[in-house]
């Protein structure tokens, strides 16, 4: 049977793709391991690579404010990424890197067994929902991932670059809050 201890120890020295050669730290995940809500980003940026924690750079600050808007924080949710090591210069993770990393995320999802999954940005949505997912068109729509409701919204980095997307992202957040209220038991206790 899998356990967090086993998964963390197996993942910690991962050398399944070449991102291991350039990382400072592997960024495993953060938050509540018993969360009902799981957020999945793309991959670590510079600050995350330095600190070993997801969403702690400028996009992370905005992510924390987005959480606050719907009465959430890191103690109530879990945060992971499609790839656990920083792609050089923050380029998109390659398919081969995503595939090499996918077992770790699958095992995290199985251990958490969340009620709701939220993809942050296109890379995560294409990996988990549909490979031709278009964030501008398909954000805010509920799909299924192994029978669990899954939605994608804009990546906080995209919202830093283009503030005109923020009202749409806010509508997505409200829909997420509504879904949490309807199917989760512990998150808004
Ligand atoms: N962007 C991501 O997708 N993930 C992080 O952890 C940080 C920035």
């Amino acid at each position: 049977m899998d356990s967090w201890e086993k998964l963390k120890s197996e993942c910690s020295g991962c050398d399944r793709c070449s991102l291991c050669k350039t990382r400072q730290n592997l960024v495993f995940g953060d938050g509540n391991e018993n969360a009902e809500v799981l957020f999945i980003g793309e991959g670590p940026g510079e600050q995350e690579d330095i600190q070993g924690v997801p969403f702690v750079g400028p996009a992370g600050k905005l992510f924390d404010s987005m959480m606050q808007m719907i009465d959430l924080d890191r103690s109530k949710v879990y945060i992971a990424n499609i790839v656990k090591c920083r792609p050089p210069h923050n380029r998109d993770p390659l398919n081969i890197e995503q595939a090499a990393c996918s077992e770790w995320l699958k095992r995290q999802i199985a251990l958490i067994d969340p009620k709701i999954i939220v993809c942050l940005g296109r890379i995560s949505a294409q990996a988990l929902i549909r490979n031709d997912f278009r964030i501008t068109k398909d954000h805010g729509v509920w799909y299924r991932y192994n029978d669990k409701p899954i939605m994608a919204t804009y990546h906080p980095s995209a919202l830093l670059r283009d503030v005109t997307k923020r009202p749409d992202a806010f509508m997505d957040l409200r829909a997420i809050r509504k879904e949490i209220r309807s199917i989760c038991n512990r998150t808004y206790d």
Side-chain angles (χ1 to χ4, degrees):
M1 210 177 90
D2 210 1
S3 70
W4 283 104
E5 208 184 359
K6 186 161 175 280
L7 176 57
K8 284 176 194 171
S9 109
E10 287 176 30
C11 181
S12 65
C14 180
D15 59 359
R16 292 183 179 184
C17 83
S18 59
L19 296 181
C20 70
K21 296 188 194 131
T22 47
R23 74 175 175 230
Q24 294 188 50
N25 285 291
L26 183 148
V27 179
F28 181 77
D30 190 31
N32 185 336
E33 292 173 354
N34 300 308
E36 294 173 306
V37 189
L38 169 62
F39 285 85
I40 304 178
E42 176 179 325
E46 185 182 20
Q47 277 307 312
E48 291 77 18
D49 181 48
I50 292 169
Q51 297 184 42
V53 181
F55 285 101
V56 288
K61 300 272 173 297
L62 182 57
F63 174 75
D64 286 338
S65 319
M66 290 162 71
M67 292 294 91
Q68 245 182 18
M69 282 177 196
I70 53 168
D71 311 307
L72 295 177
D73 58 46
R74 285 172 193 243
S75 71
K76 300 194 174 88
V77 304
Y78 196 85
I79 313 163
N81 280 308
I82 294 296
V83 294
K84 305 225 173 302
C85 301
R86 182 191 183 198
H89 312 293
N90 298 346
R91 64 158 169 76
D92 289 352
L94 305 175
N95 287 342
I96 195 172
E97 293 159 352
Q98 296 185 36
C101 211
S102 66
E103 181 198 323
W104 308 130
L105 180 61
K106 277 193 197 131
R107 287 170 63 185
Q108 280 175 308
I109 297 174
L111 285 168
I112 299 165
D113 192 22
K115 295 231 164 67
I116 294 173
I117 301 176
V118 180
C119 299
L120 297 167
R122 173 182 58 88
I123 296 286
S124 170
Q126 290 186 342
L128 297 172
I129 301 176
R130 226 185 35 237
N131 62 14
D132 62 350
F133 195 95
R134 289 185 46 199
I135 199 81
T136 41
K137 194 163 123 303
D138 303 326
H139 75 90
V141 177
W142 290 106
Y143 297 87
R144 292 262 150 189
Y145 176 88
N146 290 347
D147 257 13
K148 295 176 190 301
I150 184 168
M151 179 213 276
T153 188
Y154 288 101
H155 193 286
S157 300
L159 301 173
L160 286 175
R161 283 193 303 269
D162 182 357
V163 294
T164 67
K165 295 189 163 88
R166 291 189 185 193
D168 276 358
F170 186 58
M171 295 300 284
D172 297 344
L173 289 173
R174 289 174 56 135
I176 292 160
R177 180 168 58 187
K178 189 169 170 215
E179 186 73 0
I180 294 172
R181 288 214 171 106
S182 120
I183 67 169
C184 296
N185 311 310
R186 291 174 274 115
T187 305
Y188 284 136
D189 270 359

